[in-house]
Amino acid sequence: MLEINNLRSRIDDSEILRGLSLSVRAGEVHAIMGPNGSGKSTLAQVIAGHEDYEVTAGTVTYNGQDLLELEPEERAREGIFLGFQYPVEIPGVNNAYLLKAAVNARRKHQGLGEVDAFEFLKLAREKMATLGMDPKFLNRGVNEGFSGGEKKRNEILQMAMLEPSLAILDETDSGLDIDALKAVAAGVNALRSPERAIILVTHYQRLLDYVEPDYVHVLSQGRIVRSGDKSLALELEEKGYEWVREAANA
Amino acid sequence: MKQASLSIESLREVVRRLPDNGLTSSREAAIAHLGEHGLPTLRDEDWKYTDLSPLIEISNRWLTAGGRQQPSELPRERIADITSSIDAIWLVIANGTIDARSIATVTHKGIEISRFSDAPPPFAVSRPLADLNAALLQDGLRIRVNVSIEKPVGILIVDRAGESAAVTQSCVEIQVASGVSAEFIEYHASDGDGDHYANSVLSIGVGDGADAKHVRIQNRSLRHVQTGQTSIALGRDSRLRIASYDLGGRLIRNDIDIDLSEPGADVGFDGLYLAGDGQHIDNHTRVDHRVGPATSSQEYRGILNGNCRCVWNGKAIVHQGADGTDASQANHNLLLSDKAEIDTKPELEIYADEVKCSHGTTVGQIDKNALFYLRARGLDKRHATQVLTHAFAADIVLRVPVTGVKDAVTAIVESRLAELIEEDAAADLLS
């Protein structure tokens, strides 16, 4: 589904990704771990198409097409979803409006008609209930005045409504209490299917207790320096990132 | 740059031919005052960003061509569109003439409507453009609301420009009796290809303990020029809420003067201006806190695109002894083009001790992170820009104090915003 080959990317004058390669197939859950500044979030932003990150070398192919050629909205419509590390507050834009616009943009791209208002509300309320979100959040400004946990749940709500083919969750677990973490994990697990792939970008092993990854990759200085199964995450937890850094430099 | 000056001789000539309906002496006094003081120039502090040359030039062309007061064609369809889309008791001033038919339809006993010619007001020295208004005014409209009314009173000031340049005046006096609740809509519209300058004067008196709401919608043709002078006086423990929407016009200048001479008065006024290529919209507000306690709060927001210029100047003067004053001013601007210019200036003069005053202005662009967030959810760049622009305007639209015009305001703001974002300059931003 996603093939990243020797990707190099920079923001302003600093190179963050330095020859990263990764292959993700449908049905898989990949966890990307690594110390701060290793390039985890940059990878997520580059896949989503943030224009501040310049791709200087390498290729990214998504379902056979050159992903780097697509605008961020085209990527979203093709089924890529980025759960933001820092979801943006947009006062004055109603949460329900954004959800509906997002769902309709995807549906239109798929050649489907706009979602019926009644069906949309029903579905949104159902998804919110499973995430433990008060339905009143639908009528609030997007992330406006939301707590950290509420923002992350809201990201998962958007993901649940959009049913992406490839979901990248950028530190969605950070700053969550255990209830919110479980709710987020349940949202992610509900999305797991043979047709979908999920990339979890995370600093800690904690989320992986609830969402079991097929693969764990460790990022250091803009490259994947180690890949393995879920036991790698436990090993990391035990030995710390210093161990990986040493391994990378060895 | 040499600024045009108004041809007082031609003005005198045109005014001399106006029918004598009792306003002759105030017209003459106005011309005399205008002749002495002239119209403001860029050298005047309050006018330094707004060159009146376009309206002086239109006025001179119209005056020298004889200053014909009655353009032939009334915009009947436009009038019907507006008055049928907003449920109100409508009074119409079309092409500078009070529409007698609209007055005749007002049957509500609590509303008194009369004309200046019924009881001519003495000439009062005011601002220069008010002098021009008094000189050329055919007749003024007085509206007095004596009992609380459910329906808003609408004043539609509408012009249809013919082929040659034209100038029209309107003057309206509103008085809300003590203890009465009333809502007003002031709607300015114009169409037609010719050059047109509309000059309006409005005064609002809110009686003791009265509660008034006023919505002003300026949706003129982008070819036309308008100036407006609004004077407001609030009675003891009275309340006034105003929202003002400037959407059209090539050159727009609004002056609002609010006089707080009675304790307990509370005035809140919001404004939204949307300016695209070639537009110039200038809002000057002044609040005189003469006694306390009294409250004034204002928030203006602007969205600018293309090669345009807007001005916001909010002055609050807290006079000596006006303790207990609470005055706040805010002006926020969203610039969608690097060719757009905003001159924003809060001015506070405080001569009293116990006061609470605040002001803040901001000028910004579309938040790039918010834009990316929306695009990452599948909204294209144009749609995302539109959504964020709407969000910026939303507060002021949602605060429209007259419930019955909410839909109409929302619709025209949305349609104007869509136009603004479509403009070529936005294309640069969006490329």
Side-chain angles (χ1 to χ4, degrees), chain A residues 47-112:
Chain A
I47 296 172
H50 198 299
E51 60 189 13
D52 283 355
Y53 296 90
E54 187 196 347
V55 172
T56 53
T59 56
V60 182
T61 314
Y62 171 70
N63 287 338
Q65 43 180 340
D66 180 357
L67 188 68
L68 301 176
E69 282 294 304
L70 302 181
E71 296 290 335
E73 57 269 31
E74 293 169 326
R75 301 179 193 199
R77 292 170 191 173
E78 288 285 341
I80 292 180
F81 177 89
L82 170 64
F84 282 61
Q85 184 180 3
Y86 303 109
V88 184
E89 293 198 21
I90 314 179
V93 179
N94 183 295
N95 220 11
Y97 177 86
L98 172 58
L99 269 181
K100 208 165 153 196
V103 167
N104 282 333
R106 179 98 203 268
R107 287 180 65 92
K108 194 177 168 196
H109 185 72
Q110 292 168 326
L112 301 169

Coordinates of all heavy atoms in Angstrom, one line a residue, chain A residues 47-112:
Chain A
I47 N 4.1 12.5 4.7 CA 3.1 11.6 4.0 C 1.8 12.3 3.8 O 1.1 12.2 2.8 CB 2.9 10.3 4.9 CG1 4.2 9.5 5.0 CG2 1.7 9.5 4.3 CD1 4.1 8.3 5.9
A48 N 1.4 13.2 4.8 CA 0.2 14.0 4.7 C 0.3 15.1 3.7 O -0.7 15.7 3.3 CB -0.3 14.4 6.0
G49 N 1.5 15.6 3.4 CA 1.7 16.6 2.4 C 1.9 18.0 2.9 O 1.6 19.0 2.2
H50 N 2.5 18.2 4.1 CA 2.7 19.5 4.6 C 3.7 20.2 3.8 O 4.8 19.7 3.6 CB 3.1 19.4 6.1 CG 3.0 20.8 6.8 ND1 3.7 21.9 6.4 CD2 2.2 21.2 7.8 CE1 3.3 22.9 7.2 NE2 2.4 22.5 8.1
E51 N 3.4 21.4 3.3 CA 4.3 22.1 2.4 C 5.6 22.7 3.0 O 6.5 23.1 2.2 CB 3.5 23.1 1.5 CG 2.9 24.2 2.4 CD 2.0 25.1 1.5 OE1 1.6 24.7 0.4 OE2 1.7 26.2 2.0
D52 N 5.6 22.7 4.3 CA 6.8 23.3 4.9 C 8.0 22.3 4.8 O 9.1 22.6 5.0 CB 6.6 23.6 6.4 CG 5.8 24.9 6.6 OD1 5.6 25.5 5.5 OD2 5.5 25.2 7.7
Y53 N 7.6 21.0 4.6 CA 8.7 20.0 4.5 C 9.0 19.7 3.0 O 8.2 19.3 2.2 CB 8.2 18.7 5.1 CG 8.0 18.9 6.6 CD1 6.8 19.2 7.1 CD2 9.0 18.7 7.5 CE1 6.6 19.4 8.5 CE2 8.9 18.9 8.9 CZ 7.6 19.2 9.4 OH 7.4 19.4 10.7
E54 N 10.2 20.0 2.7 CA 10.7 19.8 1.3 C 11.3 18.4 1.1 O 12.1 18.0 1.9 CB 11.7 20.9 0.9 CG 12.1 20.9 -0.5 CD 13.4 21.7 -0.8 OE1 13.8 22.4 0.2 OE2 13.9 21.6 -1.8
V55 N 10.8 17.7 0.1 CA 11.3 16.4 -0.1 C 12.5 16.6 -1.1 O 12.3 17.1 -2.2 CB 10.3 15.4 -0.7 CG1 10.9 14.1 -1.1 CG2 9.2 15.2 0.4
T56 N 13.7 16.2 -0.8 CA 14.9 16.4 -1.6 C 15.3 15.2 -2.4 O 16.0 15.3 -3.3 CB 16.0 17.0 -0.8 OG1 16.3 16.1 0.3 CG2 15.7 18.3 -0.2
A57 N 14.9 14.0 -1.9 CA 15.3 12.8 -2.6 C 14.3 11.7 -2.1 O 13.7 11.8 -1.1 CB 16.7 12.4 -2.3
G58 N 14.3 10.6 -2.9 CA 13.5 9.5 -2.6 C 12.1 9.5 -3.2 O 11.7 10.4 -3.9
T59 N 11.4 8.4 -3.0 CA 10.1 8.3 -3.5 C 9.1 7.8 -2.5 O 9.5 7.1 -1.5 CB 10.0 7.2 -4.7 OG1 10.5 6.0 -4.2 CG2 10.9 7.7 -5.9
V60 N 7.8 8.2 -2.6 CA 6.8 7.6 -1.8 C 5.6 7.2 -2.7 O 5.1 8.0 -3.5 CB 6.2 8.7 -0.8 CG1 5.2 8.0 0.1 CG2 7.4 9.2 0.1
T61 N 5.4 5.9 -2.7 CA 4.3 5.4 -3.6 C 3.2 4.9 -2.7 O 3.4 4.2 -1.7 CB 4.8 4.3 -4.5 OG1 6.1 4.6 -5.0 CG2 3.9 3.9 -5.6
Y62 N 1.9 5.3 -3.1 CA 0.8 4.9 -2.3 C -0.2 4.3 -3.3 O -0.6 4.9 -4.3 CB 0.1 6.1 -1.7 CG -1.2 5.9 -1.0 CD1 -1.3 5.1 0.1 CD2 -2.4 6.4 -1.6 CE1 -2.6 4.9 0.7 CE2 -3.6 6.2 -1.0 CZ -3.7 5.5 0.2 OH -4.9 5.2 0.8
N63 N -0.5 3.0 -3.1 CA -1.4 2.2 -4.0 C -0.9 2.4 -5.5 O -1.8 2.7 -6.3 CB -2.8 2.6 -3.8 CG -3.4 2.1 -2.5 OD1 -2.9 1.1 -2.0 ND2 -4.4 2.7 -2.0
G64 N 0.3 2.4 -5.7 CA 0.9 2.5 -7.1 C 1.0 3.9 -7.6 O 1.6 4.1 -8.7
Q65 N 0.5 5.0 -6.9 CA 0.7 6.3 -7.4 C 1.7 7.1 -6.6 O 2.0 6.8 -5.5 CB -0.6 7.1 -7.5 CG -1.5 6.9 -6.3 CD -2.8 7.7 -6.5 OE1 -2.9 8.7 -7.3 NE2 -3.8 7.4 -5.7
D66 N 2.3 8.1 -7.4 CA 3.4 8.9 -6.7 C 2.7 9.8 -5.8 O 2.1 10.8 -6.1 CB 4.1 9.7 -7.8 CG 5.2 10.5 -7.3 OD1 5.3 10.6 -6.0 OD2 5.9 11.2 -8.1
L67 N 2.8 9.5 -4.5 CA 2.1 10.3 -3.5 C 2.6 11.8 -3.4 O 1.8 12.7 -3.2 CB 2.3 9.7 -2.1 CG 1.5 10.2 -0.9 CD1 0.0 9.9 -1.2 CD2 1.9 9.7 0.4
L68 N 3.9 12.0 -3.7 CA 4.5 13.3 -3.5 C 3.9 14.3 -4.6 O 4.0 15.5 -4.4 CB 6.0 13.2 -3.6 CG 6.6 12.3 -2.6 CD1 8.1 12.2 -2.8 CD2 6.3 12.8 -1.2
E69 N 3.3 13.7 -5.6 CA 2.7 14.6 -6.6 C 1.3 15.1 -6.2 O 0.8 16.1 -6.8 CB 2.4 13.8 -7.9 CG 3.7 13.6 -8.7 CD 4.2 14.9 -9.3 OE1 3.5 15.6 -10.0 OE2 5.4 15.2 -9.0
L70 N 0.8 14.6 -5.2 CA -0.6 14.9 -4.8 C -0.7 16.0 -3.7 O 0.2 16.1 -2.9 CB -1.4 13.7 -4.2 CG -1.5 12.4 -5.1 CD1 -2.2 11.4 -4.4 CD2 -2.2 12.8 -6.4
E71 N -1.7 16.9 -3.8 CA -2.0 17.9 -2.8 C -2.4 17.2 -1.6 O -3.0 16.1 -1.6 CB -3.1 18.8 -3.3 CG -2.7 19.7 -4.6 CD -1.7 20.7 -4.3 OE1 -1.6 21.2 -3.1 OE2 -1.0 21.1 -5.2
P72 N -2.3 17.9 -0.4 CA -2.8 17.3 0.8 C -4.2 16.8 0.8 O -4.5 15.7 1.3 CB -2.6 18.4 1.9 CG -1.6 19.3 1.3 CD -1.7 19.2 -0.2
E73 N -5.1 17.6 0.2 CA -6.5 17.2 0.1 C -6.7 16.0 -0.8 O -7.6 15.2 -0.5 CB -7.4 18.4 -0.3 CG -7.1 19.0 -1.7 CD -6.1 20.2 -1.6 OE1 -5.2 20.2 -0.6 OE2 -6.2 21.1 -2.4
E74 N -5.9 15.9 -1.8 CA -6.0 14.7 -2.7 C -5.6 13.4 -2.0 O -6.2 12.4 -2.1 CB -5.2 14.9 -4.0 CG -5.7 16.0 -4.9 CD -4.7 16.4 -6.0 OE1 -3.5 16.3 -5.8 OE2 -5.2 16.7 -7.1
R75 N -4.6 13.6 -1.2 CA -4.1 12.4 -0.4 C -5.2 12.0 0.6 O -5.5 10.8 0.8 CB -2.8 12.8 0.4 CG -1.7 13.2 -0.5 CD -0.5 13.6 0.3 NE 0.5 14.3 -0.6 CZ 1.7 14.5 -0.4 NH1 2.3 13.9 0.7 NH2 2.5 15.1 -1.2
A76 N -5.8 13.0 1.2 CA -6.9 12.7 2.2 C -8.1 12.0 1.5 O -8.6 11.0 2.0 CB -7.4 14.0 2.8
R77 N -8.4 12.5 0.3 CA -9.5 11.9 -0.5 C -9.2 10.5 -1.0 O -10.1 9.7 -1.2 CB -9.9 12.8 -1.6 CG -10.5 14.1 -1.2 CD -10.6 15.0 -2.3 NE -11.0 16.4 -1.8 CZ -11.0 17.4 -2.6 NH1 -10.8 17.3 -3.9 NH2 -11.3 18.6 -2.1
E78 N -7.9 10.2 -1.1 CA -7.4 8.9 -1.5 C -7.4 7.9 -0.4 O -7.0 6.8 -0.5 CB -6.0 9.0 -2.2 CG -6.0 9.6 -3.6 CD -6.6 8.6 -4.7 OE1 -6.7 7.4 -4.4 OE2 -7.0 9.1 -5.7
G79 N -7.7 8.5 0.8 CA -7.8 7.6 2.0 C -6.7 7.6 3.0 O -6.6 6.8 3.8
I80 N -5.9 8.7 2.9 CA -4.8 8.8 3.9 C -5.3 9.8 5.0 O -5.9 10.8 4.7 CB -3.5 9.4 3.3 CG1 -2.9 8.4 2.3 CG2 -2.5 9.8 4.3 CD1 -1.7 8.8 1.6
F81 N -5.2 9.3 6.2 CA -5.6 10.2 7.3 C -4.4 10.4 8.3 O -3.8 9.4 8.7 CB -6.7 9.5 8.1 CG -7.2 10.2 9.3 CD1 -8.2 11.2 9.2 CD2 -6.6 10.0 10.6 CE1 -8.6 11.9 10.3 CE2 -7.0 10.7 11.7 CZ -8.0 11.7 11.6
L82 N -4.2 11.6 8.6 CA -3.2 12.0 9.6 C -3.9 12.4 10.9 O -4.6 13.4 10.9 CB -2.2 13.1 9.1 CG -1.3 13.6 10.1 CD1 -0.3 12.6 10.7 CD2 -0.5 14.8 9.6
G83 N -3.7 11.7 12.0 CA -4.1 12.2 13.3 C -3.0 13.1 13.8 O -1.9 12.6 14.0
F84 N -3.4 14.4 14.0 CA -2.3 15.3 14.3 C -1.8 15.2 15.8 O -2.6 14.9 16.7 CB -2.9 16.8 14.1 CG -2.9 17.2 12.7 CD1 -3.7 16.5 11.8 CD2 -2.1 18.3 12.3 CE1 -3.7 17.0 10.5 CE2 -2.2 18.7 11.0 CZ -2.9 18.1 10.1
Q85 N -0.5 15.4 15.9 CA 0.0 15.5 17.3 C -0.6 16.7 18.0 O -0.9 16.6 19.2 CB 1.5 15.6 17.2 CG 2.2 15.5 18.5 CD 3.7 15.7 18.5 OE1 4.3 15.8 17.4 NE2 4.4 15.6 19.6
Y86 N -0.7 17.8 17.3 CA -1.3 19.0 17.9 C -2.5 19.4 17.0 O -2.3 20.3 16.1 CB -0.2 20.1 18.0 CG 1.0 19.8 18.7 CD1 2.2 19.6 18.1 CD2 0.9 19.6 20.1 CE1 3.4 19.2 18.8 CE2 2.1 19.2 20.8 CZ 3.3 19.0 20.2 OH 4.4 18.7 20.9
P87 N -3.6 18.9 17.3 CA -4.8 19.3 16.5 C -5.1 20.8 16.6 O -4.9 21.3 17.7 CB -5.9 18.4 17.1 CG -5.3 17.3 17.8 CD -4.0 17.9 18.3
V88 N -5.4 21.4 15.5 CA -5.5 22.8 15.4 C -6.8 23.3 15.9 O -7.9 22.7 15.6 CB -5.2 23.3 14.0 CG1 -5.2 24.9 13.9 CG2 -3.9 22.8 13.4
E89 N -6.8 24.4 16.7 CA -8.1 24.9 17.2 C -8.6 25.9 16.1 O -7.9 26.8 15.7 CB -7.9 25.7 18.5 CG -7.6 24.8 19.7 CD -7.8 25.5 21.0 OE1 -8.6 26.5 21.1 OE2 -7.2 25.1 22.0
I90 N -9.8 25.7 15.7 CA -10.4 26.6 14.7 C -11.7 27.2 15.1 O -12.8 26.7 14.8 CB -10.5 25.9 13.3 CG1 -9.3 25.1 13.0 CG2 -10.8 26.9 12.2 CD1 -9.4 24.3 11.7
P91 N -11.6 28.3 15.9 CA -12.9 28.9 16.4 C -13.7 29.3 15.2 O -13.2 29.8 14.2 CB -12.4 30.1 17.3 CG -10.9 29.8 17.5 CD -10.5 29.0 16.3
G92 N -15.0 29.2 15.4 CA -15.9 29.7 14.3 C -16.2 28.6 13.3 O -17.1 28.8 12.5
V93 N -15.5 27.5 13.3 CA -15.8 26.4 12.4 C -16.4 25.3 13.2 O -15.7 24.8 14.1 CB -14.6 25.9 11.5 CG1 -15.0 24.8 10.7 CG2 -14.0 27.0 10.7
N94 N -17.6 25.0 13.0 CA -18.3 24.0 13.7 C -17.7 22.6 13.5 O -17.5 22.3 12.3 CB -19.7 24.2 13.2 CG -20.7 23.3 13.9 OD1 -20.7 22.1 13.7 ND2 -21.6 24.0 14.6
N95 N -17.6 21.8 14.5 CA -17.0 20.5 14.4 C -17.8 19.6 13.4 O -17.3 18.9 12.6 CB -17.0 19.8 15.8 CG -15.7 19.0 16.0 OD1 -14.8 19.1 15.3 ND2 -15.8 18.3 17.1
A96 N -19.1 19.7 13.5 CA -20.0 18.9 12.7 C -19.8 19.3 11.2 O -19.8 18.5 10.3 CB -21.5 19.1 13.1
Y97 N -19.6 20.6 11.0 CA -19.4 21.1 9.6 C -18.2 20.5 9.0 O -18.2 20.0 7.9 CB -19.3 22.6 9.6 CG -19.0 23.2 8.2 CD1 -20.1 23.4 7.3 CD2 -17.7 23.4 7.8 CE1 -19.8 23.9 6.0 CE2 -17.4 23.8 6.5 CZ -18.5 24.0 5.6 OH -18.2 24.5 4.4
L98 N -17.1 20.5 9.8 CA -15.8 20.0 9.3 C -16.0 18.5 9.0 O -15.6 18.0 8.0 CB -14.7 20.3 10.3 CG -13.4 19.6 9.9 CD1 -12.9 20.0 8.5 CD2 -12.3 19.9 10.9
L99 N -16.6 17.8 10.0 CA -16.7 16.3 9.8 C -17.5 16.0 8.5 O -17.1 15.2 7.7 CB -17.5 15.7 11.0 CG -16.7 15.3 12.2 CD1 -17.7 14.7 13.2 CD2 -15.7 14.2 11.8
K100 N -18.6 16.8 8.3 CA -19.4 16.5 7.2 C -18.7 16.9 5.9 O -18.8 16.2 4.9 CB -20.7 17.3 7.3 CG -21.9 16.7 6.6 CD -23.1 17.4 7.1 CE -24.2 17.3 6.1 NZ -25.3 18.2 6.3
A101 N -18.0 18.0 5.9 CA -17.3 18.5 4.7 C -16.2 17.4 4.4 O -16.0 17.1 3.2 CB -16.7 19.8 4.9
A102 N -15.6 16.9 5.4 CA -14.5 15.9 5.2 C -15.1 14.6 4.6 O -14.6 14.1 3.6 CB -13.8 15.7 6.5
V103 N -16.2 14.2 5.2 CA -16.8 13.0 4.7 C -17.3 13.1 3.3 O -17.0 12.3 2.4 CB -18.0 12.6 5.6 CG1 -18.8 11.5 5.0 CG2 -17.4 12.1 7.0
N104 N -17.9 14.3 3.0 CA -18.4 14.5 1.6 C -17.3 14.7 0.6 O -17.5 14.3 -0.5 CB -19.3 15.7 1.6 CG -20.7 15.4 2.2 OD1 -21.1 14.2 2.1 ND2 -21.4 16.4 2.8
A105 N -16.2 15.3 1.0 CA -15.1 15.4 0.1 C -14.6 14.0 -0.3 O -14.3 13.8 -1.5 CB -13.9 16.2 0.7
R106 N -14.5 13.1 0.6 CA -14.0 11.8 0.3 C -15.1 11.0 -0.5 O -14.7 10.4 -1.5 CB -13.9 11.0 1.7 CG -13.4 9.6 1.6 CD -11.9 9.4 1.8 NE -11.4 8.2 1.2 CZ -11.3 7.0 1.9 NH1 -11.7 7.0 3.2 NH2 -10.9 5.9 1.3
R107 N -16.4 11.2 -0.2 CA -17.4 10.5 -0.9 C -17.5 11.0 -2.3 O -17.7 10.2 -3.3 CB -18.8 10.7 -0.2 CG -18.9 10.0 1.1 CD -20.3 10.2 1.7 NE -21.4 9.7 0.9 CZ -21.9 8.5 1.0 NH1 -21.5 7.7 1.9 NH2 -22.9 8.2 0.2
K108 N -17.3 12.3 -2.5 CA -17.4 12.9 -3.9 C -16.3 12.3 -4.7 O -16.5 11.9 -5.9 CB -17.3 14.4 -3.8 CG -17.7 15.1 -5.1 CD -17.6 16.6 -4.9 CE -17.7 17.3 -6.2 NZ -17.2 18.7 -6.2
H109 N -15.1 12.2 -4.1 CA -14.0 11.6 -4.8 C -14.2 10.2 -5.2 O -13.7 9.7 -6.2 CB -12.7 11.7 -3.9 CG -11.5 11.3 -4.5 ND1 -10.8 12.0 -5.5 CD2 -10.7 10.2 -4.3 CE1 -9.7 11.4 -5.9 NE2 -9.6 10.3 -5.2
Q110 N -15.0 9.5 -4.4 CA -15.3 8.1 -4.7 C -16.5 7.9 -5.6 O -16.9 6.8 -5.8 CB -15.6 7.3 -3.3 CG -14.4 7.2 -2.4 CD -14.7 6.7 -1.0 OE1 -15.8 7.1 -0.5 NE2 -13.9 6.0 -0.4
G111 N -17.0 9.1 -6.0 CA -18.1 9.0 -6.9 C -19.5 8.7 -6.2 O -20.4 8.3 -6.8
L112 N -19.5 9.0 -4.9 CA -20.7 8.8 -4.2 C -21.4 10.1 -3.9 O -20.8 11.2 -4.0 CB -20.4 8.1 -2.8 CG -19.7 6.8 -2.9 CD1 -19.2 6.4 -1.5 CD2 -20.6 5.7 -3.4

